[in-house]
Amino acid sequence: MSSVLRVELRDHIAVLTLDRPERLNAVGSDTAEQLTRALEDLRHDDDVRALVLAGAGRAFSAGADLGEIESFTTPGQFRAFVGRLTEAYALLEDFPKPSVAAVHGFAFGGGLELALACDLRVAERGARLGLPEMKLGVLPGAGGTQRLPRLLPPAVAKQMILTGEPLDAERAWQLGLVNEVAEPGGTLAAAEALAVRLAAGAPLALAAGKRLVDHGLGMDLTAAIAYERETVSVLFSTEDRVEGLKAFRERRPGEFRGV
């Protein structure tokens, strides 16, 4: 299997780049497999504290690999394909280290679903983000119909899903789908800068913060606040909490070790 995902490590950041520019970084079974393997390896690499997801060439991703999909002859084959993407994206969403999608050009279909599985998104000015599956007579199947309404007002998400029409980066930023808008050519640098700021945090607190937000959204407020109280109480006993207070009093960055 040829490599369709490039992994580079620098300054506590892992940059994962979809590397199929001749196919506009179409996401296929090989992408899902290589992404899964990379995430499993990086999960246990203590030197890596944040991820950036990017795309090579002129776009982040055009979506699912239509060439692979057109080879299917039964609904079961398509269901298995969607399952592979869904499982890889779930690993990314549940990854204990924060992730940032660097979107340039466009992120459509399965490509946008990949970006939605990241914690944060930076998009190039003029980039387009959309779920065009309706125009093909189907619907997003790797989390798009579920993650998008959790990030956008439901009526806006419905319009995108039911018409297949994309948002541009500026509108996506206004609605909160995109965290930052970068100038053309500056998306990856902006995403890496954001990831560096994330990586400066205490690893245990970063992982706990992700869990609190993601899991708390599925709870009623009373239960979620109780969950928060128990989580922060555990963090109080960590060495990083002691270092954080010491660094604050000494007016210097904390030197966190994840313990």
Side-chain angles (χ1 to χ4, degrees):
M1 181 187 299
S2 61
S3 176
V4 296
L5 184 73
R6 188 170 70 250
V7 181
E8 301 168 276
L9 307 179
R10 47 181 178 266
D11 298 327
H12 297 300
I13 306 300
V15 180
L16 283 61
T17 304
L18 302 175
D19 197 15
R20 187 185 277 175
E22 73 285 355
R23 299 288 304 278
L24 296 175
N25 300 317
V27 178
S29 295
D30 48 359
T31 310
E33 179 179 337
Q34 292 178 34
L35 177 60
T36 296
R37 189 184 313 132
L39 292 173
E40 289 172 345
D41 290 342
L42 294 168
R43 185 183 189 93
H44 303 291
D45 188 339
D46 292 338
D47 192 52
V48 173
R49 299 191 176 183
L51 307 180
V52 171
L53 277 291
R58 62 189 184 91
F60 180 77
S61 174
D65 188 342
L66 292 181
E68 182 175 355
I69 292 173
E70 287 173 347
S71 71
F72 301 151
T73 57
T74 68
Q77 290 174 308
F78 180 68
R79 184 182 300 111
F81 171 80
V82 169
R84 288 189 286 273
L85 267 60
T86 300
E87 290 170 6
Y89 294 178
L91 279 178
L92 175 59
E93 184 175 50
D94 294 336
F95 198 69
K97 306 166 187 185
S99 56
V100 183
V103 177
H104 75 291
F106 47 82
F108 290 153
L112 178 57
E113 288 174 309
L114 174 59
L116 295 177
C118 292
D119 296 299
L120 307 175
R121 284 153 292 281
V122 174
E124 175 182 275
R125 191 173 303 280
R128 293 176 295 154
L129 300 87
L131 297 171
E133 286 86 350
M134 178 61 72
K135 296 181 178 181
L136 300 176
V138 291
L139 287 170
T145 67
Q146 301 307 305
R147 289 193 177 98
L148 193 65
R150 286 166 167 79
L151 294 168
L152 287 176
V156 177
K158 283 182 181 179
Q159 182 173 343
M160 290 180 66
I161 293 164
L162 300 180
T163 66
E165 297 169 354
L167 297 177
D168 62 28
E170 292 85 349
R171 181 61 175 155
W173 175 77
Q174 291 171 351
L175 292 167
L177 180 60
V178 165
N179 297 84
E180 295 183 16
V181 176
E183 293 303 318
T187 311
L188 182 56
E192 288 188 26
L194 178 54
V196 167
R197 301 202 303 274
L198 293 168
L204 296 176
L206 286 170
K210 282 192 57 167
R211 290 195 307 271
L212 281 171
V213 174
D214 292 342
H215 296 176
L217 285 171
M219 301 178 181
D220 66 69
L221 184 58
T222 300
I225 290 175
Y227 177 41
E228 176 188 72
R229 181 173 61 249
E230 294 306 313
T231 299
V232 299
S233 296
V234 171
L235 291 174
F236 186 84
S237 66
T238 65
E239 293 181 20
D240 279 349
R241 194 277 305 175
V242 176
E243 163 61 14
L245 180 58
K246 182 179 179 182
F248 175 78
R249 294 194 180 282
E250 296 175 358
R251 298 184 180 181
R252 61 172 175 81
E255 297 178 4
F256 299 117
R257 299 188 297 118
V259 293

